Each structure stands twice: as structure tokens, then as C-alpha cells.
Amino acid sequence: MAQPFVLPDFYLPYPARLNPHVDAARAHTREWARRMGMLEGSGVWEERDLEAHDYALLCAYTHPDCDAPTLSLVTDWYVWVFFFDDHFLEVFKRGQDMAGGRAYLERLPAFMPLEGEPAAEPANPVEAGLADLWARTVPAMSPAWRARFAEATEHLLNESLWELANINEGRIANPVEYVEMRRKVGGAPWSAGLVEFAAGAEVPAAVAHERPLLVLRDAFSDAVHLRNDLFSYQREVEEEGENSNGVLVLETFLGCSTQEAAEAVNDLLTSRLQQFEHTALTEVPALCAEKGLDLARCAAVAAYAKGLQDWQSGGHEWHLRSSRYMNEGAARGARGGGVLGASALETGALFGRPARARLRSLAHVPHQVVGPSLLPEFDLPYPLSLSPHLEAARVSCLDWAEGMGLLADIWDRELMAGFDLPLCAAGLDPDATLEELELSSQWLAWGTYGDDYYPLVFGRVRDLAGARALTERLKACMPLEDPAGGAAGAAGPLERSLADLWERTAAPMGAAERASLRLAVDHMLESWLWELHNQALHRVPDPVDYVEMRRRTFGSELTMSLARLRHGRALPAEFFATGAMRAVEKAVSDYGTLLNDLFSYQKEIEVEGEVHNGVLVVQTFFGCDYPTGVRIVDDLMRGRLRQFEHLKASELPLLIEQFGLDAEGRAALGRYLRELEDWLAGILNWHRR
């Protein structure tokens, strides 16, 4: 069968190396798979399938430095996960059996106990393999790693239902949604956990959940999955009828040829690898110093980053060789050598298209004259309602800001009155009481003031240390145990105003609600530091990184958290933690943040010299002009709105059924969804006014 496109030139700056214990791993895993029941009689694989796929070669390339027993165990893990994927396809995807697939997946966590023995007896090869692997792996790792790896494994398994739902509906995902969900479905975060095990480099708990380490994992994951999509397109799309493939997603989204979509996927893959390099070299060392890690723990973090890098190089080499993939004509020149492939020596990877892409992200000329912002038609279907307490909130918000000292330096009363932040709050929450509207207006004022303060005071002079010190003081203004205690150490206007808001908002809350709100504010504060870091490097961020961080810099998480907490009793935290509800909130947030970027373009690009604007990010990444960037952002916004409507109509009813929500819970969910619609209508109205 002819290949549907010519594989692009990949960015491959690092040599792949082969573990010398590959033959021992092949022999071991063949017998292990047979003992688990994965070969003859399984209805999925025969021995020849296992031999042709050669997962031992994959693991020998992706883990080149571990010893023979470790390589064999890691290889068994990969045999298991690929068998699971094919087993799920044969048993559930082909027959589109959602109910059977859900019941099958619900049993698997029982075979990954954090302590003690499995809670069930294995009933099939997937369960038997997972129970065996878990027992052989976890004794060497800490409880913190076990919890992280179990969660990654559950995500990998459970999000297979998302793929099955898309097949059932014939739906092709939005590109942003696709990248987010692919991280879980594709399993690269799970692979990152095995890198820690194989490299003997468990990430210290003190930094495991910090943003730079999460970016390393996510950039690694995106690159692994996008590469796999390029090699898998023919098998997945043409043979299996799969529609969760990045080439197909971009082909559909961009309305381009398959070849052009493949090149676009490769550009995104290159960008994610460059994001990995940027984070590993500039953010991770600073994080280690900031957290005071000793040499041993710093070495573990470095070994982990190197392990992820080895995985990228080795994974590519395996894709060139495995019969599982479309790779005709891809293994050029000296690739057969095994230790140092020609991929490491191709100058095009260093000086060609990837280098131009990296240069574009660092070569933006600030303060270009761009003219008035180009605004598309915003076909938002939700009606605007405004709180009747708007006028009173306008007065009280100005008086509060003045009393807190926010109008004595970068703002004055006239400037803040022109911003009219209570108008935004009145649209976001039209049903609020006067007290609630005053509080939400003041939160918007505080967040907007802080968003202006950080770049003006710290950004222009590149004072990242000063910004970090203020951030830590601001966090201290939000104590979880005694909400009133934050005012004691508050020094300046930004700290005093936050302490005041925190006491008034958090005091009536329960402990879990208070922690959720605190986390949302912490994320916003950290996102301001991320912006300063990019500003110091004069770097336009990667599109995927930008969209995810923009939710935090815009304060979406904070405002949605305040709305969510009202419904906490009728809707449990576990409900909001589901993939469907996270997708709902992200879709709404992305629409609002990109809308802001469209309206703010002239102010930010021409006047402020900003690098954090979605239109500029798209222009830089795709190398396109301003009107084209606007069209792409507009199309993305429309896609996010369609996704929001799809989730409400198709996925939330299933979630309601899964959680068994009663009438009160259903009513609470309906109110929350209407509040999200108000959120969008209120933001659009405020920008227009």
C-alpha cells in the first residue's frame, strides 16, 4: 500500500544509543508474555506479532544505560501497554462497546495498590500482566512515585474511553483539546515515570509537581505522541478507522493536504522539543537552586532530564525499524549502525527549518506599529445580563482600591475608573448580591493591578529575584489555617489588599474549598513569574505552553474557582476533577483569554512591547502575517465554543449518569454551566465597552 505522505525531516540533535542487553530482554519478555497469556490463544497476538514489533528494541534504545534485569522489566511494561492497546481495540473499539469498555477499565486500578496485595484476582492477560509488573516494580520506588505512576497509568487506561467516544460520534478533536488529551491516551507521562525507574533517578517530591518539571514531562509527551502520529497515520487512519491522530486533526482543522498537515505536525513536534530544551537549560536549574536541593537530588533531576532526552532519540530509531509503523524510505544513510545514527549528524536539524523556528521565537521586534486591533465577528450565543448593583460596586471598588493604596503608584483613580472592572464583574455574575459583586470586583481589581505591577516594576529591569520574593510574601498573605492571619506580615498595597480579600473570601469556607482557592491564586502568581522569565529572554512562547499558561495569567482559574465553590455541596470535588469537566472549563477559558488577546493586540504589541499575546504567538509559530494570525485565533475560538457545546450535549449527560446525580446535583450543574455562559458574555461585553 502506498504511503499517504512522505515523512518529513525530523529535528534530531541527539544520537540514539543501544543498550547492550537487548537480546536478553527479547528472550525474557517473550517468555513473560506467553506466561501472562498474551500470545497464542489470546485472540490478539501471536508470537510472530511480538517478534515483529520488537518492544525490546524500543526499550533498549529508549533506556540505553540500565542493567539487564531493569531493561527486561521495563520491556515487560511496554509489552503490557501495547497489548492493552491492541486488546482494547479488538474487544471494545471495533464493536464500539462503551459500557463493556468502562466496566473493563474500572477493574484495573485494583491491581495497582499503593500498599498491600491486589484487591482482585486477574481474569485476563491485561490484569495478570499489570498485577505481576506492579509487584516487581514498586518495592524500589517511594510511595510518592507509586501514587504518581498509578495515576498516570489510570489516565492512560481511562482516557481510552475518550477515543472510543470520538469513534462512536465520528468526531475529530479540536487541536488544542487533542494535544491535551493525547498526553494521557498516548501514555508518554506514563513513560516518563518509567524513565525515573530505569534511570534510578526518582524526581524529588519537593519539585515533582513544580511547573518546570511538569513542562519537561508535557513537552516530552507531546513530542513522543506527535512523532508517533506521523509514523502511525497509515495504520490508524486508513486501516483502523481511528480519528485520534494529529495529522488528521490538523488536516481537518487547517483544511490542507495530508502532506501539508504532516509538515505542520512535524513543526509542532520540533517546537515541543525546543520547549523541552529551553526549560531544561533555563528553568530547571533555577528551580533546583530555589528549592535548595542538595547535589544528589540535583543529579537525580539532571539524570531524569537526560533519560527523557534518551527516550526521544531512541523512540525515533525504533519507529524507523518496527513493522508496526509506516517507515518506508525513512531509514536513510547510516541509520543502521545502532550506536550513532546519521540522524545525529544531519545539519538540517541544526541549521535548517528547526533553527529558523527557534530564531523566530527570539527575534520579535517590539513596539512595531500594527494599527487598530482587527476584530472578527464574535458569534457568541449567550445573552448578556448585568447585576443591578453595578453602580454601587463601581463606587465601592474605587474607594476600596484607594484605601488599600493601589492608586498611589502605577494606577490613579481616573485610570482605574476607566478600566471599569465592576462592569466585567456585573456581567460575570449578574445574580450576585451587592456584597458578592463588591468582592468579585475587588478581586478583579487586585488581579489586574498585579498583572500590571509585575512587568512594570520587575520586568523592565529584569529583577526576577525581586519578583520571586514578592510572590512568596503574597502567598504568605493567604494562610489556610487562619485566614485573618495574613494581614500581620503584609507590607505593601498589593500584599495588604490580598490579605483583606483572602480573609473576607476564605473565612466562611471549609478547608477543602479554601485550599482550592489558594491553589488558584498561587497558580496565577506563578504564571506572572513565567511571563517575566519570557520577557527577560525576549522569547515568544510556544503555542501549546502559551494556551495552557494563559488560563492562569488571565485569572480564569481564580474566577471559575470562586463560581465552582458555590456548588461544592451538590457537586463533589471529584465531579469537577473529571476529564469532561476540566475540558468544559478549559474550553470556556480559552475562548475568553483569546478574545482578550484579540482586543489587546495593538496595546500590547505596539505600546507595551509585549510577547504574550495569542495572535503574536500564532504569527511567530506559523510564520504568518497579522490578518492570518487573527483568522487562526478566531477559528480556534470557534472550535473551543463548539467543544463547549458538544461537551454539554454529549459528555456531561454520561457524567451525570456515572455519578448518579440527584435532582439537586443536576440543578447545581445547570446553574454552573449558565454561570460559565455568563462568564463569556460578561467578558465580551466588557471588552467592547
Side-chain angles (χ1 to χ4, degrees):
M1 183 186 297
Q3 291 190 174
F5 57 83
V6 177
L7 286 166
D9 290 328
F10 292 90
Y11 175 60
L12 300 166
Y14 308 110
R17 296 176 296 119
L18 186 65
N19 191 303
H21 306 297
V22 59
D23 290 332
R26 281 193 185 108
H28 166 88
T29 206
R30 184 189 310 115
E31 294 310 312
W32 179 82
R34 177 170 286 110
R35 195 166 66 251
M36 295 297 114
M38 296 177 181
L39 300 182
E40 291 76 13
S42 69
V44 180
W45 285 353
E46 302 290 334
E47 183 176 324
R48 63 176 178 273
D49 298 309
L50 182 63
E51 296 296 327
H53 296 163
D54 205 353
Y55 299 114
L57 184 66
L58 165 66
C59 296
Y61 270 124
T62 53
H63 302 282
D65 298 319
C66 64
D67 60 24
T70 301
L71 181 62
S72 292
L73 177 51
V74 169
T75 302
D76 292 346
W77 270 112
Y78 278 89
V79 168
W80 174 80
V81 82
F82 279 102
F83 180 84
F84 161 80
D85 192 51
D86 287 352
H87 186 257
F88 197 84
L89 169 69
E90 290 295 332
V91 178
F92 302 107
K93 281 186 183 177
R94 291 200 191 282
Q96 300 184 11
D97 180 5
M98 283 284 290
R102 181 176 287 111
Y104 169 84
L105 293 171
E106 285 175 352
R107 279 180 51 86
L108 293 178
F111 301 99
M112 297 182 291
L114 298 186
E115 300 289 345
E117 297 297 318
E121 285 295 320
N124 57 57
V126 171
E127 294 179 355
L130 180 56
D132 177 79
L133 291 166
W134 190 257
R136 292 161 57 201
T137 306
V138 296
M141 308 303 286
S142 72
W145 181 91
R146 297 177 195 182
R148 282 190 285 118
F149 189 65
E151 180 183 20
T153 306
E154 286 188 45
H155 283 167
L156 181 151
L157 301 172
N158 290 335
E159 298 302 340
S160 297
L161 288 175
W162 175 78
E163 285 187 320
L164 180 53
N166 282 348
I167 291 173
N168 284 349
E169 297 166 18
R171 174 173 173 263
I172 297 174
N174 171 275
V176 177
E177 176 200 19
Y178 175 77
V179 170
E180 293 169 344
M181 298 301 288
R182 187 75 166 90
R183 287 176 183 170
K184 297 175 182 177
V185 178
W190 176 87
S191 293
L194 283 177
V195 166
E196 294 181 67
F197 170 76
E202 184 172 327
V203 175
V207 296
H209 297 286
E210 294 290 331
R211 182 187 172 273
L213 270 296
L214 297 179
V215 170
L216 278 191
R217 183 200 65 193
D218 290 345
F220 161 80
S221 300
D222 295 342
V224 168
H225 297 147
L226 292 167
R227 175 182 289 106
N228 181 267
D229 284 350
L230 286 162
F231 282 97
S232 298
Y233 179 90
Q234 188 168 35
R235 176 175 61 85
E236 292 182 346
V237 176
E238 295 187 350
E239 298 174 17
E240 297 177 359
E242 179 69 79
N243 55 16
S244 295
N245 181 285
V247 178
L248 179 63
V249 166
L250 287 185
E251 187 179 354
T252 304
F253 179 71
L254 298 176
C256 62
S257 69
T258 308
Q259 185 68 52
E260 290 170 326
E263 297 291 348
V265 167
N266 189 44
D267 284 344
L268 184 55
L269 161 58
T270 300
S271 181
R272 299 310 285 152
L273 288 172
Q274 292 175 344
Q275 171 77 54
F276 179 93
E277 294 167 346
H278 171 84
T279 304
L281 293 173
T282 66
E283 295 189 52
V284 171
L287 174 68
C288 292
E290 174 194 324
K291 295 295 182 180
L293 300 189
D294 58 26
L295 286 178
R297 290 189 293 172
C298 287
V301 173
Y304 170 67
K306 176 184 172 295
L308 296 179
Q309 179 181 295
D310 287 337
W311 210 110
Q312 290 286 356
S313 302
H316 186 86
E317 290 293 325
W318 179 69
H319 277 84
L320 295 176
R321 290 167 168 77
S322 176
S323 67
R324 191 178 177 90
Y325 300 109
M326 179 188 90
N327 47 29
E328 181 182 341
R332 297 186 300 271
R335 286 189 191 276
V339 177
L340 180 61
S343 58
L345 306 176
E346 290 173 359
T347 57
L350 301 177
F351 304 111
R353 192 167 178 168
R356 291 193 297 273
R358 193 194 299 271
L359 178 63
R360 280 203 306 269
S361 72
L362 298 169
H364 169 65
V365 178
H367 303 292
Q368 297 178 50
V369 176
V370 297
S373 296
L374 301 176
L375 299 177
E377 292 293 328
F378 298 103
D379 300 324
L380 199 65
Y382 313 122
L384 172 71
S385 298
L386 291 177
S387 167
H389 306 298
L390 172 57
E391 290 302 327
R394 280 175 168 146
V395 175
S396 63
C397 191
L398 285 168
D399 291 345
W400 174 82
E402 192 163 43
M404 289 291 154
L406 297 179
L407 306 183
D409 44 25
I410 65 170
W411 282 7
D412 58 31
R413 193 175 180 97
E414 182 181 5
L415 184 71
M416 182 178 169
F419 294 160
D420 202 0
L421 294 163
L423 174 65
C424 187
L428 297 183
D429 195 0
D431 302 321
T433 64
L434 174 59
E435 183 182 6
E436 288 172 339
L437 186 64
E438 288 177 335
L439 189 60
S440 60
S441 298
Q442 291 160 19
W443 269 112
L444 287 179
W446 178 84
T448 306
Y449 176 89
D451 193 45
D452 284 354
Y453 186 90
Y454 268 65
L456 284 171
V457 174
F458 302 114
R460 290 179 178 177
V461 295
R462 307 296 192 263
D463 183 11
L464 301 184
R468 168 57 68 185
L470 174 60
T471 298
E472 294 305 315
R473 293 199 304 274
L474 288 169
K475 290 181 180 180
C477 294
M478 299 181 289
L480 292 175
E481 297 300 325
D482 176 19
L494 197 58
E495 295 168 57
R496 285 196 301 272
S497 53
L498 177 58
D500 175 73
L501 290 170
W502 179 254
E503 179 180 357
R504 291 157 56 204
T505 308
M509 292 179 173
E513 296 170 328
R514 197 176 292 162
S516 176
L517 178 62
R518 164 68 189 267
L519 184 63
V521 182
D522 283 354
H523 283 168
M524 186 165 69
L525 292 170
E526 293 291 335
S527 75
W528 292 347
L529 295 178
W530 171 79
E531 288 186 318
L532 291 181
H533 183 81
N534 286 330
Q535 185 179 354
L537 297 173
H538 193 68
R539 176 180 176 272
V540 179
D542 174 277
V544 177
D545 199 30
Y546 176 78
V547 168
E548 294 181 343
M549 291 302 293
R550 189 71 174 97
R551 298 166 189 153
R552 297 181 175 185
T553 63
F554 190 64
S556 307
E557 190 175 353
L558 171 60
T559 55
M560 289 181 182
S561 174
L562 290 169
R564 189 188 310 134
L565 293 174
R566 296 180 183 175
H567 311 293
R569 292 179 182 174
L571 295 172
E574 293 80 12
F575 185 87
F576 287 105
T578 60
M581 283 304 295
R582 287 198 303 268
V584 162
E585 293 180 343
K586 288 175 180 177
V588 171
S589 175
D590 291 347
Y591 189 96
T593 59
L594 293 171
L595 183 148
N596 176 268
D597 287 349
L598 288 167
F599 275 92
S600 301
Y601 187 82
Q602 183 181 24
K603 175 178 73 75
E604 293 181 344
I605 305 306
E606 189 173 305
V607 179
E608 298 175 355
E610 181 62 81
V611 295
H612 299 97
N613 181 284
V615 181
L616 177 65
V617 166
V618 166
Q619 284 179 256
T620 303
F621 180 73
F622 289 107
C624 62
D625 61 14
Y626 175 32
T628 302
V630 169
R631 285 198 298 273
I632 292 174
V633 169
D634 177 45
D635 196 60
L636 178 57
M637 290 171 61
R638 292 174 186 274
R640 297 308 261 165
L641 197 59
R642 287 193 301 271
Q643 185 194 3
F644 177 48
E645 290 296 325
H646 163 81
L647 288 162
K648 288 193 299 180
S650 300
E651 298 196 23
L652 293 190
L654 298 175
L655 200 62
I656 290 170
E657 183 180 337
Q658 179 184 338
F659 275 80
L661 293 186
D662 57 16
E664 182 186 3
R666 291 169 187 252
L669 176 59
R671 289 193 299 272
Y672 181 61
L673 294 174
R674 285 193 295 277
E675 287 182 6
L676 294 181
E677 294 170 1
D678 288 337
W679 192 87
L680 289 172
I683 285 175
L684 177 58
N685 177 66
W686 179 72
H687 280 84
R688 283 174 165 163
R689 296 277 294 274

